[in-house]
Amino acid sequence: MPKLKTHRGAAKRFKLTGTGKIKRAKAYKSHILTKKTAKRKRNLRQPGLVDKSNVKQMKKLLPYL
């Protein structure tokens, strides 16, 4: 069986946590920030986790993560 290629775009965006979950950055933090509250922007800084419905798909993109 040949080696699988890692999806490089995904590799730059996702990391694995210590327990094996996939960590991601939250959306809506790039522009139009003036109308968003400080609390909302602060919460967007925290990492999120990939939903369990998407984990199988992510494992295919990142076979060696």
Side-chain angles (χ1 to χ4, degrees), residues 26-40:
K26 289 184 183 168
Y28 309 111
K29 183 66 173 75
S30 54
H31 62 104
I32 315 176
L33 298 172
T34 50
K35 64 174 79 169
K36 294 171 189 158
T37 65
K39 180 182 177 180
R40 184 169 161 198

Side-chain angles (χ1 to χ4, degrees), residues 6-21:
T6 297
H7 189 289
R8 296 314 295 163
K12 292 167 189 175
R13 289 174 171 82
F14 301 96
K15 296 281 172 268
L16 214 58
T17 63
T19 55
K21 293 176 184 166

